[in-house]
Amino acid sequence: MFSHPNMSENTEIIENDTIDSNKAIVDGNENNKLPEAINQSETPLDEAETPSDEAETPSDEKHDNELNLESSETENLEKMILSTGIRVGTPVKTKSMSRYIVRANPEGLYILDISKTLYKIDVAAKFIGRTNIAKVAITSAREYGKKPVEKFCEATGATSILGRFMPGTFTNPSLPKYMEPEIVIVTDPQADQQAVIEATRAGVPVIAISNSDNVISKVDLVIPANNRGRKALATVYWLLAREVMKKQGKIKSDKDMKVTIDDFETKLVEEII
């Protein structure tokens, strides 16, 4: 891939991502707690022991109640994220995606490593945060990816390219909708193959949500996740939007995120009716 002007200042992030992602391997136990990347609070627990003969003050009790509430909210978020199928892959795996797979379930579907998914979302947000957000182009040929992309762009200011990708959009200056993005994000490197090819030719870094069966040879930064399911795609883009908005200073903490995963989700006809 040709070197893009924006790549020089971001090379360290991608290189560190490649090295550090190998440290994020967890075993295949579905009941494992998710890593702290999705915790809604980073309030440290006080490890100092209180003497048994010292009475607990009202302020201490209030603090404990707040910690219990935050812990409960975090646990609920973890369960909700797992319930969206974000880590459920396909019955097929490619050699390049094997590093992101922890096991196969009884139905024969490969299960993606959720810790790596969350880690890569954080890395992608840092990468995007160093770029003019208006120059970040996001494509989705998949129907279930359109609403999440729209909501992501609405929340962050990125530029969406939905439906069929017009050949030459990144390479032919004579086209009316020609653009020169600094980062391209694709919902599926297979369905959005034309966007990946043109970004590669133009030397533009590509971030891709990639399933177990995707070929990622032309992708610079992989977010391993289910890119077929509507709930899964809504979750990925919601998590990415939340992290990008924190980098932009639009929100200070996870609690400030007013839009929900449900807002990012494509609604079926019967749900609308």
Side-chain angles (χ1 to χ4, degrees):
M1 181 181 295
F2 295 103
S3 176
H4 186 270
N6 189 51
M7 286 290 288
S8 59
E9 62 179 359
N10 292 298
T11 300
E12 182 180 352
I13 290 181
I14 294 182
E15 288 180 347
N16 288 340
D17 163 56
T18 303
I19 296 172
D20 293 344
S21 66
N22 294 325
K23 301 177 182 178
I25 299 177
V26 297
D27 58 41
N29 188 347
E30 287 192 20
N31 295 319
N32 281 341
K33 284 288 185 179
L34 297 186
E36 293 180 358
I38 64 170
N39 283 355
Q40 289 189 308
S41 171
E42 296 180 1
T43 305
L45 294 174
D46 187 354
E47 296 180 354
E49 295 184 0
T50 302
S52 57
D53 58 346
E54 186 174 313
E56 188 178 69
T57 66
S59 60
D60 291 334
E61 184 177 353
K62 180 180 178 181
H63 180 66
D64 289 342
N65 289 337
E66 289 175 350
L67 289 177
N68 290 335
L69 178 61
E70 289 169 353
S71 177
S72 176
E73 290 175 349
T74 298
E75 185 176 350
N76 290 337
L77 179 61
E78 292 173 356
K79 291 179 179 179
M80 184 269 296
I81 288 177
L82 289 178
S83 71
T84 65
I86 187 175
R87 61 179 178 170
V88 180
T90 71
V92 178
K93 70 173 178 179
T94 59
K95 183 177 181 181
S96 54
M97 284 299 294
S98 295
R99 74 190 80 168
Y100 303 111
I101 296 170
V102 292
R103 62 184 178 82
N105 69 9
E107 289 74 34
L109 299 175
Y110 288 104
I111 303 300
L112 299 163
D113 189 335
I114 188 66
S115 67
K116 289 187 177 182
T117 301
L118 298 173
Y119 173 74
K120 291 301 189 78
I121 286 174
D122 183 63
V123 172
K126 291 177 182 176
F127 190 27
I128 295 167
R130 294 187 177 186
T131 306
N132 177 2
I133 192 65
K135 290 284 190 176
V136 176
I138 310 181
T139 72
S140 179
R142 289 196 173 279
E143 192 64 32
Y144 287 161
K146 293 178 182 179
K147 179 65 177 290
V149 168
E150 285 179 346
K151 295 299 291 184
F152 178 91
C153 293
E154 180 183 313
T156 64
T159 302
S160 63
I161 304 175
L162 304 176
R164 181 176 179 270
F165 182 86
M166 182 63 65
T169 299
F170 299 154
T171 57
N172 187 352
S174 64
L175 291 180
K177 294 186 177 181
Y178 170 75
M179 63 186 300
E180 296 180 327
E182 294 182 4
I183 296 175
V184 171
I185 303 174
V186 298
T187 303
D188 182 336
Q190 180 179 354
D192 301 306
Q193 184 179 25
Q194 185 63 32
V196 174
I197 291 173
E198 293 195 16
T200 302
R201 289 175 179 172
V204 178
V206 176
I207 299 173
I209 302 172
S210 304
N211 214 324
S212 64
D213 61 348
N214 281 131
V215 176
I216 54 174
S217 57
K218 290 181 169 54
V219 175
D220 296 283
L221 181 58
V222 171
I223 298 177
N226 177 353
N227 56 14
R228 289 2 179 229
R230 61 192 181 96
K231 291 182 182 293
L233 282 172
T235 302
V236 174
Y237 276 111
W238 180 83
L239 288 168
L240 184 59
R242 188 181 69 174
E243 295 307 311
V244 170
M245 290 173 72
K246 284 194 286 188
K247 301 297 184 293
Q248 292 175 323
K250 291 184 177 181
I251 60 175
K252 293 183 178 180
S253 67
D254 296 343
K255 290 183 177 180
D256 296 331
M257 187 72 170
K258 302 305 180 184
V259 290
T260 65
I261 293 177
D262 187 63
D263 295 326
F264 275 63
E265 186 180 325
T266 301
K267 299 298 182 290
L268 299 178
V269 176
E270 56 265 30
E271 292 178 337
I272 298 175
I273 297 175

